[in-house]
């Protein structure tokens, strides 16, 4: 935890650590953006892209460094997110194209984790736009609304990141590499290639399952699968994470679904802000805590965007998480990744 105590800073900056600042930043921004969405474009498909642009930027891509370094990092993340939204939207109308893209895009993004700089930290976040687009039935005519929605949400989030507690950042960027991750002489036995194949296979299987089962909120199946296979690099690790995430989702859903069913719309906005703060504050903990805190936020966010049909918001979560962790485990067992020892390098 980084506590800013420089004497020439304001009282707020001296008393708020980076973790708390990031949680406040995310909660305030997502609440304001969702309020504007409900007021200006209620029920429009683009509304989800605006909201998830904020989530991808401020929840998954909390970059650190100087203002210029962070601006460059967020710009890279925004451009990659727009690329994913475009590919996903263009492929969403064809089932075969959607499955093929669901394998190729995550695999390529995962391969880029070996690059230096900010991109490895943005890998999961920038793929959310692709997953949302490829699992939202649409045609070419929806390409511009999807891109504009993601652009608006991302730009608002970047401005918030640079303006709300700008001096309270989580230290310097942490770069993570793995023994055997050198891209020279890449072959099937390379850990990097096997991980990329495993992640691509998991997302492709998730899209296939969504198409076969007819899941209403297919995005969550793919998003959960991506989180499981991206954060756990061995079969055993994936299985443990899958169980932890499923249990966390069940517990979190038990509370949030009741709240959505019983409380008025205005109260859900208040719960959204609280859940957003808690989920961001606990980000980076073990999979159980992360899923336990993120599930209520996801349910409240969906309920706000889908009102008055938000009574079904809680129904999807356990099934979607179960399907997501299931395909993640299957993909890991099929590819049978070899264990690797992580080696973290702290930037000076």
């Amino acid at each position: 935890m980084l506590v800013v105590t420089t004497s020439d800073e304001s009282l707020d900056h001296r008393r708020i650590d980076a973790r708390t600042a990031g949680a406040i930043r995310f909660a305030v921004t997502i609440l304001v953006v969702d309020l504007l969405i409900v007021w200006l474009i209620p029920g429009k498909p683009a509304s989800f892209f605006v909201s998830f642009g904020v989530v991808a930027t401020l929840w998954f891509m909390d970059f650190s460094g100087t203002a210029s370094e962070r601006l460059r990092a967020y710009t890279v993340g925004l451009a990659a997110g727009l690329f994913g939204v475009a590919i996903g939207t263009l492929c969403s109308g064809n089932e075969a194209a959607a499955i093929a893209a669901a394998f190729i895009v995550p695999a390529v993004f995962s391969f880029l984790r070996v690059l230096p700089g900010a991109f490895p930290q943005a890998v999961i976040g920038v793929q959310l736009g692709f997953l949302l687009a490829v699992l939202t039935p649409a045609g070419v005519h929806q390409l511009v609304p999807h891109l504009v929605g993601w652009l608006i949400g991302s730009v608002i989030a970047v401005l918030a990141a640079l303006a709300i507690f700008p001096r309270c950042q989580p230290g310097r960027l942490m770069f993570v590499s793995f023994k055997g991750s050198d891209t020279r002489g890449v072959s099937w036995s390379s850990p990097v290639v096997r991980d990329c194949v495993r992640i691509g296979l998991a997302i492709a299987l998730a899209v296939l399952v969504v198409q076969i089962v007819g899941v209403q909120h297919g995005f969550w199946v793919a998003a959960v699968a991506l989180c499981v296979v991206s954060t756990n690099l061995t079969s055993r690790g994936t299985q443990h994470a899958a169980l932890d995430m499923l249990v966390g989702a069940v517990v979190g859903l038990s509370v949030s679904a009741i709240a959505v069913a019983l409380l008025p719309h205005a109260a859900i906005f208040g719960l959204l802000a609280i859940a957003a703060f808690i989920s961001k504050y606990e980000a980076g903990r073990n999979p159980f805590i992360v899923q336990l805190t993120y599930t209520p936020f996801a349910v409240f966010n969906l309920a706000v965007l889908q009102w008055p049909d938000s009574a079904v918001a809680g129904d999807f979560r356990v099934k979607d998480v179960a399907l997501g962790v299931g395909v993640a485990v299957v993909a890991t067992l099929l590819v049978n990744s070899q264990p690797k020892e992580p080696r973290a390098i702290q930037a000076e």
Side-chain angles (χ1 to χ4, degrees), residues 163-188:
I164 302 177
F165 302 120
R167 299 184 184 182
C168 296
Q169 301 303 323
R172 304 291 293 174
L173 283 174
M174 178 74 76
F175 304 120
V176 179
S177 62
F178 299 93
K179 295 179 180 179
S181 62
D182 193 338
T183 56
R184 290 172 297 181
V186 169
S187 66
W188 170 248

Side-chain angles (χ1 to χ4, degrees), residues 37-59:
I37 288 173
V38 172
W39 179 35
L40 298 175
I41 51 172
K44 300 294 184 181
S47 64
F48 288 93
F49 288 87
V50 177
S51 184
F52 279 93
V54 173
V55 175
T57 302
L58 293 183
W59 203 96

Side-chain angles (χ1 to χ4, degrees), residues 103-174:
F103 176 83
I104 296 171
V105 173
V108 171
F109 273 123
S110 299
F111 184 79
L112 296 179
R113 287 182 303 175
V114 301
L115 295 178
F119 195 83
Q121 189 174 342
V123 164
I124 293 181
V126 297
Q127 293 182 74
L128 294 185
F130 166 74
L131 297 180
L132 183 61
V134 80
L135 289 169
T136 300
V140 178
H141 65 285
Q142 287 294 327
L143 178 60
V144 172
H146 288 180
L147 289 173
V148 171
W150 189 266
L151 178 63
I152 291 174
S154 299
V155 169
I156 292 174
V158 170
L159 293 176
L162 298 176
I164 302 177
F165 302 120
R167 299 184 184 182
C168 296
Q169 301 303 323
R172 304 291 293 174
L173 283 174
M174 178 74 76

Side-chain angles (χ1 to χ4, degrees), residues 4 7 58 79 110 116 121 160 220 255 286 290-291 303-304 325 333-334 342:
V4 182
S7 58
L58 293 183
S110 299
Q121 189 174 342
W220 295 108
V255 177
N286 64 70
V290 171
Q291 193 63 45
V304 164
V325 298
L333 294 176
L334 288 175

Side-chain angles (χ1 to χ4, degrees), residues 303-323:
V304 164
L305 297 177
Q306 285 194 318
W307 199 274
D309 297 324
S310 58
V312 301
D315 296 340
F316 76 94
R317 193 62 182 167
V318 170
K319 178 174 68 175
D320 294 352
V321 171
L323 289 173

Side-chain angles (χ1 to χ4, degrees), residues 211-283:
Q211 293 175 353
I212 294 175
V213 178
V215 180
Q216 182 178 2
H217 303 282
F219 164 80
W220 295 108
V221 179
V224 169
L226 176 63
C227 290
V228 173
V229 295
S230 295
T231 57
N232 295 273
L233 303 175
T234 66
S235 298
R236 185 174 181 180
T238 296
Q239 293 169 19
H240 282 299
L243 180 59
D244 288 344
M245 294 183 73
L246 184 58
V247 174
V250 171
V251 177
L253 180 64
S254 301
V255 177
S256 55
I258 294 175
V260 169
L262 298 179
L263 297 178
H265 197 198
I268 301 301
F269 276 103
L271 292 177
L272 171 66
I274 296 172
F277 176 88
I278 296 174
S279 67
K280 178 58 180 176
Y281 188 82
E282 297 296 337

